[in-house]
Amino acid sequence: MRLPRLSIVALLLAFVAWSPLHAQVPGSPYSVTVPVSDTSSAQRDEAFATALGQVLVRVAGGQDLRSKAGYPDALGKARSLVQQFQYAKADGGGLSLQVNFEPGAVRRLIDTLGVSRAGVKPPVLLLVKGSDGQLLQQDDLGSLAQAVTAGGTGVVYPAPASTPDLARVAAADPAALASINQQYHTGLVLLGNLHDGGGDWVLVSGGKAQRWSNQGATEDAVLADAGTGAVGRVGQQLNVVSATVSTSRLWVDGVGSAMAYANLLSMLNADPTVRSVTTLGAQDDGIMLEIRAALPAAALATSLAAGGRLLLDAPHDGADASLRWLH
């Protein structure tokens, strides 16, 4: 198999056309909102430490850092990493503090703690219908969002003017998922339907759907339990970091142009778990890649698909894992 000749100009344009910064536009992993009881300095410092703990989990790819030497000291110095903070009224009339941390300082801190950075997981798009069948908005989803973010995963909310087709999303329709990625830059979607005393849930990750139901004494309890369940399922798929480097063969279908090929390579090279990428060959619009990464093949494919630009695909001869490029 031979890769078609690629235009240098097309490659350069493609590399410029996509940037990993896109993943930080909605629901920045370095921004956290935590409840506070007052605006005192002591309460603010405690909130900074709580917020930094959540951000560290996010940026470390969901790894639990609490046992790392230097972790308590790091939380004690959270104030020095704060870029901006702002008080706001929380749901129910309480007070909350939104804290934005300096990204470079957070990444350096994780390196100092001796943690292998797995990369920031993409946020979860929350698409939840209330018992009346109407899509709930951000103000109604506080307990769900708090449970998800406490587990180290960010959230984003649907834009009122462009709600996705929920049935197509739940069915993991490739066109619907591609549209979600273009707007929200994620391949993680949590769909929910609330009913009296419980809810039915679908977590779509990389084109694969997981379904479950839950019960609770109140709607907030149902939402909080669903958030914990969702972040646990995301963690099982994505919180895989190895101390060794694995070599895997990945088949990627749907790479039909020089632009798509360049965008794919740019995305792979931007992934902190990937050490090197070698193109072994191509056939039609598919490409065989050899990738050295700090993840085994299945975990690498799942992690890449969660970003929303790839879907997990049917097995391909000679490949350890298969993916399909969406756009």
Side-chain angles (χ1 to χ4, degrees):
M1 295 184 292
R2 295 181 61 83
L3 187 68
R5 186 182 299 275
L6 302 178
S7 162
I8 297 298
V9 173
L11 285 173
L12 290 174
L13 288 174
F15 274 93
V16 173
W18 184 87
S19 165
L21 290 176
H22 287 183
Q24 297 177 16
V25 173
S28 168
Y30 302 97
S31 178
V32 175
T33 299
V34 294
V36 291
S37 57
D38 55 57
T39 59
S40 67
S41 177
Q43 180 66 200
R44 186 164 59 246
D45 284 344
E46 183 178 336
F48 286 162
T50 300
L52 179 59
Q54 294 185 19
V55 167
L56 289 175
V57 172
R58 291 184 189 180
V59 181
Q63 300 173 84
D64 188 346
L65 309 182
R66 290 173 295 181
S67 63
K68 296 293 182 180
Y71 181 80
D73 289 340
L75 295 192
K77 300 174 182 176
R79 173 193 288 269
S80 65
L81 279 69
V82 173
Q83 191 174 57
Q84 182 182 22
F85 66 89
Q86 180 177 348
Y87 290 99
K89 289 290 185 182
D91 296 336
L95 193 64
S96 66
L97 182 67
Q98 181 179 345
V99 188
N100 298 330
F101 291 95
E102 204 285 312
V106 172
R107 292 193 293 268
R108 288 191 294 274
L109 175 57
I110 288 178
D111 291 339
T112 301
L113 293 173
V115 178
S116 299
R117 276 190 273 150
V120 178
K121 292 194 295 290
V124 179
L125 173 62
L126 304 180
L127 300 174
V128 182
K129 286 185 177 180
S131 55
D132 60 358
Q134 299 300 308
L135 198 65
L136 299 181
Q137 300 303 310
Q138 179 173 348
D139 291 345
D140 306 312
L141 297 173
S143 54
L144 173 60
Q146 185 175 353
V148 174
T149 55
T153 303
V155 298
V156 286
Y157 304 92
S162 56
T163 302
D165 186 319
L166 302 191
R168 291 177 62 199
V169 176
D173 175 73
L177 296 180
S179 177
I180 283 176
N181 175 254
Q182 288 176 343
Q183 184 168 3
Y184 300 101
H185 310 292
T186 185
L188 300 175
V189 186
L190 179 63
L191 301 104
N193 282 290
L194 298 180
H195 47 74
D196 290 339
D200 301 313
W201 305 92
V202 182
L203 176 67
V204 179
S205 174
K208 303 294 182 182
Q210 300 181 58
R211 303 172 186 273
W212 75 100
S213 298
N214 69 343
Q215 301 290 320
T218 64
E219 184 173 287
D220 277 343
V222 172
L223 290 170
D225 180 72
T228 301
V231 80
R233 287 167 170 82
V234 170
Q236 288 177 356
Q237 293 182 327
L238 303 184
N239 293 356
V240 181
V241 181
S242 174
T244 61
V245 174
S246 301
T247 300
S248 308
R249 288 192 172 196
L250 259 61
W251 175 260
V252 184
D253 229 331
V255 187
S257 67
M259 183 75 76
Y261 175 68
N263 283 339
L264 172 62
L265 292 186
S266 177
M267 184 194 72
L268 291 172
N269 286 315
D271 191 308
T273 67
V274 173
R275 303 293 185 267
S276 66
V277 181
T278 303
T279 301
L280 300 180
Q283 185 175 29
D284 299 326
D285 63 353
I287 293 177
M288 184 73 78
L289 301 171
E290 183 176 88
I291 300 180
R292 296 179 67 253
L295 295 173
L300 175 63
T302 300
S303 176
L304 293 172
R309 308 190 82 189
L310 292 157
L311 293 181
L312 297 170
D313 207 1
H316 183 86
D317 289 344
D320 299 305
S322 298
L323 297 160
R324 174 169 292 276
W325 183 251
L326 287 179
H327 51 263

